[in-house]
Amino acid sequence: MAVEAVKTESPCAMMRRAAASARQEIKRRGDEIVRLQSEISQLKGQPDPDQKVISALEQRLASLEEQLKQDELSLDTLEQVISENC
């Protein structure tokens, strides 16, 4: 049935579905960033924190923040295309 929907889905509907999916991914990534920031803060607040763990989490955080920026830019571009063409 999903294959049938794809066959009959208009390009605008497909782009709107992709935008909705992108918004969900952006929210998920944003939630993960907040969780990592909290975890890093907690670790730094401990006496004698494990710097290797903190460093690894900070690297992961930087990577997620970069991915989030790219996702937001892609979504913005897609939403512009939708608003201009649909």
Side-chain angles (χ1 to χ4, degrees):
M1 186 162 163
V3 174
E4 187 67 27
V6 171
K7 288 180 183 178
T8 60
E9 188 175 41
S10 73
C12 287
M14 191 180 314
M15 286 189 290
R16 286 186 186 106
R17 185 172 43 81
S21 176
R23 279 187 217 97
Q24 289 176 335
E25 180 62 20
I26 286 169
K27 179 175 181 348
R28 186 197 65 73
R29 203 174 308 274
D31 291 346
E32 179 67 7
I33 286 170
V34 169
R35 187 193 68 74
L36 276 174
Q37 288 170 332
S38 175
E39 189 174 344
I40 290 167
S41 293
Q42 287 176 355
L43 286 172
K44 286 182 175 180
Q46 294 178 354
D48 195 29
D50 187 339
Q51 293 302 318
K52 287 182 182 180
V53 171
I54 291 172
S55 178
L57 290 174
E58 287 175 336
Q59 288 176 2
R60 176 72 178 136
L61 178 61
S63 173
L64 283 172
E65 288 172 336
E66 183 58 36
Q67 289 173 351
L68 180 63
K69 286 179 191 174
Q70 291 176 8
D71 289 349
E72 289 172 335
L73 181 59
S74 294
L75 177 59
D76 185 52
T77 301
L78 179 57
E79 288 178 333
Q80 287 177 9
V81 169
I82 292 169
S83 69
E84 292 171 3
N85 296 300
C86 296

